[in-house]
Amino acid sequence: MLNIFSSRHFYSKGTKVFFAFIFFALLTFCAYPPDTHAQVEKCDPMTVNVILRDASGNFIPNLNYEIYVQEYDVDGKPKPTAMVSSGKIDPNLGRGVSKFTSRNTQFALRAYHKIKTSGSFWFYNDIKVSCGGTAEVTERLSEAVFHIRDASGVLVKNKKFKVYSQKYDADFLPIKEIQDLVGELDLSEEGEAVLYLPDSATSIDGRGTDYYVLEVPGENGGVYLRYDISINAGRSTSVDYVMSDAKVIVKDESGVLFPAKEKVTFYRQITNDNNEKEAGAKIVDLYTDDKGEIVFKYPAGTYMAKVIGASSQVQNYWDIEIVDQKRSEYELRNGGEWQANSGKCEKVSTFNLSVLNLQDQAPSDLKYEVLEQALDAKGAIMVGPLFFSGTLAVGGKDTKTINPDPRKKYVLKIYGVNKSVGAYYFYNEIQFVCGENISLQKKLSALKIILRDGGNELVKNKKFSLYTQKIDVDGFPIREKKDLIGTAFSTNDQGQETIYLSPRDAERDKGSGIYVLEVIGENNKTYIEYDIYIENDKDNVVDYVFSDLVLDLKKGNGLVAKDYTVSVYKRATDVAGNYILGSLEQSLKTGANGLVRFPLPSGFYAIAVKDSLNNNIVFWQAHVANRKRINKNLKLNQINLSVVSVPASTAAQGYKIYELNVNEKGLYARGKLLNTNKTAVNGSIELSLAPNPYLFVVEKNKAEYGQAIYAENGKTQNLEIKTNVSYLLKAGQTFALKKPASDIPLNIKLKGRILLQTQANGEAWYVDMKTKKRIYLKNGATAYEMMRKLGLGISNENLKKIPIGLDDRFSENDYDGDYLSDKMEEAIGTDMYKHDSDGDGYSDGDEIKNNFNPAGTGAIKIDQNLANALKGNILLQVESKGEAWYVNPDNGKRYYMKDGGSAYEVMRFLSLGITNENLEEIEIGKLN
């Protein structure tokens, strides 16, 4: 609102009082306007009392509810629309009272306990009330009462658990999913929890679930699950669940109990390809009590246990089977003499550590740990408990005095800001002899980060983050929050920073040695650099450039386009693979030289420039390459309008622009008015318009004169309108315009093609027909499997309508010499041992080449329209053995891919060469 009292034009007190009077008079007028229209009939508030009861009839306090307008869908089923009220059941009165105003008279009720989105009750046709009226609705809710016990029968208290609605997979086996969570509960001191759960009849559409899944976290890890918990409308269901376990007693070969605190490690038991038992993933370390007993609390399954003796002897115990909701008991006997003692030396030893970089300088701010070195179930090195730790002092040195265990080996771990990720590990180098000392010197390779802007200038005092790199299921690099090394790294006044990070941990393969750089650049844009490799005995340098996009904008006549608004969007695609504008990245104006710069991470973008009507002129091809400055020249459309009055003494200087709409005959008719403006004194004007059809109109003496034009991007078009009979417009007049050929994006133009990188190492890519993104075909075998996954199922009858392609360059076995490979003959049903399968005097190959049936009489009925429609697709014979065929986009013929070798030849002979620049315009896709 305008503050008239703060205007610099009003200073006197009297003036302020006068304008205050006017201001409040206007407010009064707006609040109480003259009664110039009939008043809408007033609807008094209606009242709805909501009572929610449990299965026993008791009201449920503090339960949430909502009231919605009830309407009906196209099938006549009730559905909720707009919410009109919400509330909670009063814990004292046992009801909720909602007052609201609505023109509707029928309403739906929603009630929920824990999670609104997945655990709501819906009741229809129970609330009918009109203006000023009162209604009461009582609903009974179904419930589940949960009790959980351990395997010895003791009630579990104060334990959290979750309940999910039950879904089913493709094999109709019950499953649970995160989005189906309906409640997280706590058993409290009473050991009981109640959850109100809807049955299918009280779901929003009457088709919900009647079954739920219980999920209880195990004490030793693992998750206990109980499926098929049935819920009936308005009833109470008691759910009593027992958490299974195995009670294990450990003895030596003489039957003597193991001493207390002896470690027993439990693993999953698996079977290898030779049907031999193996230890799978480690589950937990447990320790015997004074009775030599351990209770292994875990869900049902088959497990194995491992015990390591004082002399490092290993004893495996197989087939420890846990049965669902029961306790299993096992006695484990050790096969050899057991010696259990602490093993620590009485005499002390000194550990001396010295750490330098490759330039023999002492790194700063480094710490270290010495940890026990152990072996996993497969005999691979693993890191055990911490023995001692320290911080490197000036000079990169530290000394510790300890009582070591001579039976054990130790691991040295050195790290900077994060001891969990990116640390250096050194194995098999520390094993003490009582009373003797150990001195170690280590040299560390380093990672140097240098940051530059798009103009190659150093970026100083800039913070950045580092992660360890992982790979997703599609083979693409990713970073995850748990892999964060640190966020407080920063370049110095020289624009660089040195960090100490480990190479790949070859012994355990835990530290990948591959890292990810993340920097927040200008305008909060996130820049990411993957595949930063750290090598041993070498300082690794990443000279990173913040990519950006510099646009040089010109008018259609080639002159500089200054003060034009330019916007950059993320380039997105619709379901058909067509380009659309995604999220807006930034909008700027061009400078006096027509240039504008956008800081942008690598990616695919679209550029939009506002035309003379404030509409977008869109340029789709804007690919920003990683670590590069991309310079792009853009030329706008320009229309030079010239209005010539006849006679010149009565000039018409105004003009109008209308949109044109195409009809079913392909002719254009006048649409809505887009703009009205004036030309210069000489009757001319320059315009820039988005590529569309337009009608320009001038008026003179109540007559309209005009001309239609289809604006083309990047062109200068001259348009002249004379006020004579040649340009006179008639009512309902249509125009014949030739639509300019659009610049088809490469991903659309090349869909279904196999592309070969001619400027690289001959890498092959397939442009997916659906997503219009390119998928990497690593080799023939990989390509065969990937292309089968992208295949389109087709019946044998329709497949026969597509001609078969033959190529002499394909080298495959042909036993009968009929120019059809043995595998192809198997696929199409001809005899691989007969040159002429049907005995008509023509070889099978000749008949295929001429579209005749090689296994019978007559010609094959080719459907060229079907073949054209399926160009670029991979077809799978779903009625046979799933044979794969590739329909060549060039000739519409299908080529058989029997295996990886033939897929490789298809890649080699039917591919299209493409430059790196053009290939980069097509986004990389993931194989679903």
Side-chain angles (χ1 to χ4, degrees):
M1 181 178 290
L2 177 65
N3 184 352
I4 61 174
F5 300 112
S6 64
S7 172
R8 62 184 180 182
H9 297 295
F10 299 94
Y11 293 98
S12 69
K13 181 177 180 182
T15 303
K16 290 182 179 178
V17 171
F18 171 76
F19 276 91
F21 174 80
I22 296 299
F23 177 77
F24 288 111
L26 287 172
L27 285 178
T28 304
F29 179 85
C30 293
Y32 303 95
D35 190 11
T36 57
H37 301 284
Q39 297 292 315
V40 178
E41 182 181 350
K42 184 178 180 182
C43 180
D44 292 330
M46 51 188 71
T47 302
V48 175
N49 295 314
V50 179
I51 302 171
L52 300 176
R53 297 187 182 277
D54 62 18
S56 301
N58 302 311
F59 75 82
I60 308 171
N62 298 314
L63 210 63
N64 303 285
Y65 70 87
E66 296 172 348
I67 300 175
Y68 293 78
V69 173
Q70 178 177 314
E71 295 186 5
Y72 295 86
D73 64 16
V74 293
D75 295 323
K77 296 181 180 180
K79 292 291 166 63
T81 56
M83 186 176 75
V84 295
S85 183
S86 63
K88 280 191 175 185
I89 301 301
D90 187 284
N92 296 315
L93 301 179
R95 66 171 179 265
V97 180
S98 287
K99 293 186 178 183
F100 56 89
T101 301
S102 175
R103 291 294 173 189
N104 298 86
T105 60
Q106 191 165 12
F107 302 90
L109 177 66
R110 178 188 206 174
Y112 60 94
H113 186 182
K114 292 286 185 181
I115 298 180
K116 172 178 170 181
T117 54
S118 56
S120 291
F121 294 79
W122 288 92
F123 302 97
Y124 300 103
N125 304 320
D126 290 347
I127 303 177
K128 293 184 179 180
V129 61
S130 55
C131 293
T134 299
E136 181 172 288
V137 59
T138 300
E139 305 292 359
R140 179 165 291 191
L141 308 187
S142 49
E143 66 187 26
V145 181
F146 294 92
H147 302 94
I148 298 175
R149 301 178 184 275
D150 66 19
S152 62
V154 177
L155 198 64
V156 177
K157 300 180 180 181
N158 299 310
K159 187 172 187 64
K160 291 184 179 180
F161 65 93
K162 296 178 180 179
V163 179
Y164 299 80
S165 57
Q166 183 167 303
K167 298 294 176 63
Y168 298 88
D169 65 13
D171 294 325
F172 207 69
L173 296 175
I175 58 172
K176 66 171 183 64
E177 296 183 300
I178 293 175
Q179 64 266 28
D180 298 323
L181 178 68
V182 295
E184 184 171 1
L185 297 93
D186 193 315
L187 290 168
S188 74
E189 276 296 326
E190 298 178 358
E192 179 178 283
V194 178
L195 181 62
Y196 297 95
L197 297 170
D199 65 322
S200 59
T202 51
S203 64
I204 189 169
D205 56 3
R207 295 184 295 181
T209 183
D210 288 318
Y211 295 93
Y212 292 86
V213 183
L214 170 67
E215 177 186 272
V216 186
E219 181 178 321
N220 297 143
V223 175
Y224 293 85
L225 295 172
R226 178 180 170 184
Y227 293 97
D228 300 320
I229 298 173
S230 176
I231 295 296
N232 297 315
R235 296 178 61 183
S236 179
T237 300
S238 179
V239 182
D240 296 304
Y241 186 75
V242 176
M243 300 173 69
S244 59
D245 63 30
K247 183 178 179 181
V248 175
I249 301 175
V250 189
K251 299 180 179 180
D252 66 15
E253 61 180 350
S254 302
V256 177
L257 292 172
F258 272 30
K261 297 183 181 180
E262 283 299 317
K263 183 172 72 173
V264 180
T265 305
F266 290 87
Y267 301 83
R268 291 190 180 276
Q269 182 172 308
I270 60 175
T271 303
N272 64 20
D273 294 338
N274 296 323
N275 205 31
E276 298 170 335
K277 297 173 184 177
E278 284 188 356
K282 176 184 172 181
I283 298 173
V284 68
D285 292 327
L286 297 176
Y287 295 84
T288 55
D289 61 13
D290 289 337
K291 298 178 182 179
E293 294 180 356
I294 289 175
V295 177
F296 174 41
K297 300 179 180 180
Y298 215 72
T302 303
Y303 307 93
M304 66 88 64
K306 176 178 289 189
V307 181
I308 300 177
S311 300
S312 297
Q313 68 268 36
V314 176
Q315 181 74 44
N316 293 330
Y317 302 94
W318 304 98
D319 300 321
I320 299 174
E321 185 175 353
I322 296 181
V323 181
D324 187 41
Q325 300 199 63
K326 291 184 178 181
R327 166 167 286 178
S328 305
E329 295 193 5
Y330 291 90
E331 182 178 289
L332 308 183
R333 286 285 187 109
N334 185 36
E337 183 180 354
W338 193 260
Q339 298 177 357
N341 54 69
S342 66
K344 286 188 177 181
C345 298
E346 292 184 2
K347 294 182 178 181
V348 298
S349 295
T350 300
F351 176 75
N352 301 295
L353 177 62
S354 173
V355 178
L356 300 173
N357 62 22
L358 298 184
Q359 289 74 43
D360 290 327
Q361 299 168 333
S364 59
D365 302 323
L366 292 183
K367 299 178 181 180
Y368 72 95
E369 294 179 345
V370 174
L371 308 105
E372 291 184 15
Q373 179 174 309
L375 299 175
D376 65 15
K378 296 182 179 180
I381 289 178
M382 59 182 291
V383 175
L386 175 69
F387 183 25
F388 62 89
S389 62
T391 300
L392 296 177
V394 177
K397 296 181 179 181
D398 192 43
T399 299
K400 285 285 187 294
T401 301
I402 48 16
N403 294 91
D405 186 335
R407 301 171 303 168
K408 296 180 180 179
K409 290 184 179 180
Y410 297 94
V411 178
L412 172 63
K413 173 181 177 181
I414 303 174
Y415 62 94
V417 297
N418 192 324
K419 69 177 181 180
S420 300
V421 286
Y424 299 80
Y425 286 85
F426 301 94
Y427 306 96
N428 298 316
E429 295 190 18
I430 305 175
Q431 187 167 15
F432 290 89
V433 175
C434 292
E436 294 187 4
N437 302 325
I438 288 180
S439 295
L440 281 181
Q441 184 182 77
K442 290 297 172 185
K443 285 197 172 184
L444 306 182
S445 56
L447 172 65
K448 182 180 290 185
I449 301 290
I450 301 172
L451 300 180
R452 301 178 188 272
D453 64 18
N456 210 37
E457 295 293 326
L458 289 172
V459 178
K460 303 174 182 180
N461 302 308
K462 183 69 176 177
K463 289 186 177 181
F464 60 89
S465 303
L466 288 169
Y467 296 78
T468 55
Q469 180 171 300
K470 297 290 178 64
I471 302 295
D472 68 13
V473 294
D474 296 313
F476 289 86
I478 58 172
R479 75 207 188 290
E480 296 182 300
K481 186 177 181 180
K482 62 182 180 181
D483 299 320
L484 176 66
I485 297 170
T487 60
F489 301 109
S490 177
T491 56
N492 56 23
D493 290 336
Q494 286 76 46
Q496 58 185 278
E497 169 71 317
T498 299
I499 308 105
Y500 291 91
L501 295 173
S502 68
R504 187 177 76 87
D505 188 342
E507 192 67 47
R508 296 184 306 135
D509 202 24
K510 294 293 184 183
S512 68
I514 310 174
Y515 298 93
V516 182
L517 167 69
E518 180 184 88
V519 193
I520 305 301
E522 296 179 62
N523 300 322
N524 286 322
K525 302 299 180 186
T526 301
Y527 291 78
I528 299 175
E529 177 73 3
Y530 291 104
D531 297 324
I532 299 174
Y533 289 82
I534 304 294
E535 297 182 33
N536 263 323
D537 304 321
K538 176 182 176 181
D539 282 338
N540 306 269
V541 179
V542 175
D543 198 334
Y544 187 79
V545 177
F546 290 98
S547 56
D548 58 18
L549 177 64
V550 177
L551 301 177
D552 186 351
L553 192 64
K554 295 286 196 303
K555 297 181 182 179
N557 58 10
L559 297 178
V560 168
K562 64 178 180 179
D563 294 327
Y564 274 70
T565 298
V566 182
S567 301
V568 174
Y569 294 83
K570 281 279 190 183
R571 193 179 76 191
T573 54
D574 59 18
V575 292
N578 299 308
Y579 290 149
I580 57 174
L581 295 179
S583 59
L584 175 64
E585 294 295 302
Q586 193 177 9
S587 294
L588 296 171
K589 283 196 173 185
T590 57
N593 54 2
L595 298 177
V596 62
R597 172 185 166 273
F598 293 93
L600 293 168
S602 61
F604 295 87
Y605 300 91
I607 302 163
V609 183
K610 291 298 182 183
D611 69 2
S612 299
L613 299 181
N614 205 36
N615 294 322
N616 282 330
I617 300 175
V618 181
F619 300 87
W620 296 107
Q621 303 295 341
H623 173 240
V624 176
N626 188 37
R627 297 168 70 166
K628 290 183 180 179
R629 165 166 286 177
I630 303 300
N631 294 285
K632 195 171 186 65
N633 299 318
L634 299 179
K635 191 175 182 182
L636 301 176
N637 150 278
Q638 182 172 312
I639 296 176
N640 297 320
L641 173 63
S642 175
V643 178
V644 180
S645 289
V646 182
S649 59
T650 55
Q653 293 181 340
Y655 69 91
K656 296 179 180 179
I657 304 176
Y658 293 85
E659 71 175 6
L660 287 176
N661 300 317
V662 66
N663 60 24
E664 65 279 0
K665 295 181 180 180
L667 298 175
Y668 292 85
R670 187 191 308 200
K672 69 178 180 181
L673 177 65
L674 300 176
N675 184 257
T676 299
N677 216 324
K678 290 185 178 183
T679 63
V681 176
N682 62 358
S684 64
I685 191 72
E686 291 181 5
L687 298 165
S688 180
L689 296 178
N692 281 308
Y694 302 94
L695 176 64
F696 285 78
V697 176
V698 297
E699 294 181 358
K700 183 179 178 182
N701 298 330
K702 297 185 179 180
E704 288 186 325
Y705 304 86
Q707 189 172 348
I709 190 172
Y710 209 117
E712 296 187 52
N713 234 0
K715 289 190 176 181
T716 298
Q717 297 167 276
N718 297 313
L719 183 67
E720 182 181 65
I721 300 176
K722 295 182 179 180
T723 56
N724 61 23
V725 68
S726 298
Y727 293 85
L728 186 64
L729 298 177
K730 301 175 183 178
Q733 183 174 347
T734 58
F735 306 88
L737 293 175
K738 182 180 179 181
K739 184 178 180 180
S742 59
D743 184 15
I744 301 174
L746 275 179
N747 69 327
I748 302 292
K749 188 184 297 183
L750 298 177
K751 65 178 181 179
R753 289 276 189 179
I754 299 171
L755 306 176
L756 206 63
Q757 273 184 271
T758 56
Q759 294 177 327
N761 298 317
E763 292 89 345
W765 302 81
Y766 174 70
V767 183
D768 186 11
M769 293 290 293
K770 292 182 180 179
T771 65
K772 314 301 185 297
K773 296 181 180 181
R774 56 184 166 111
I775 297 173
Y776 181 47
L777 306 178
K778 183 179 180 181
N779 51 41
T782 305
Y784 180 69
E785 287 305 313
M786 292 177 69
M787 294 175 79
R788 284 179 64 86
K789 290 179 182 178
L790 296 173
L792 179 69
I794 189 170
S795 66
N796 290 341
E797 187 64 29
N798 282 331
L799 185 66
K800 291 177 182 177
K801 298 175 184 178
I802 304 172
I804 295 175
L806 302 176
D807 195 313
D808 293 338
R809 295 173 296 177
F810 287 81
S811 57
E812 296 181 337
N813 291 332
D814 180 10
Y815 180 85
D816 55 10
D818 59 1
Y819 300 105
L820 297 182
S821 71
D822 296 344
K823 285 293 184 181
M824 181 181 289
E825 296 210 56
E826 184 181 333
I828 65 177
T830 53
D831 192 334
M832 71 176 69
Y833 302 109
K834 288 184 179 181
H835 187 76
D836 178 9
S837 294
D838 56 8
D840 61 359
Y842 296 97
S843 72
D844 294 344
D846 287 338
E847 293 203 63
I848 287 293
K849 289 178 182 178
N850 294 283
N851 294 327
F852 281 91
N853 184 1
T857 60
I860 299 173
K861 294 181 180 179
I862 298 299
D863 187 340
Q864 198 58 51
N865 290 332
L866 177 63
N868 290 338
L870 293 175
K871 284 182 176 180
N873 278 285
I874 297 103
L875 306 179
L876 301 178
Q877 287 182 252
V878 291
E879 295 176 346
S880 185
K881 300 176 182 178
E883 293 90 341
W885 300 80
Y886 173 62
V887 184
N888 187 2
D890 287 331
N891 57 18
K893 293 184 178 183
R894 55 185 167 111
Y895 291 80
Y896 183 48
M897 298 186 298
K898 69 179 178 67
D899 53 24
S902 58
Y904 174 76
E905 293 201 328
V906 166
M907 288 164 48
R908 190 163 53 132
F909 296 133
L910 302 185
S911 60
L912 178 69
I914 189 170
T915 64
N916 290 345
E917 182 180 358
N918 285 335
L919 186 67
E920 287 178 353
E921 289 296 333
I922 305 173
E923 294 183 50
I924 297 176
K926 293 185 177 182
L927 186 68
N928 293 323

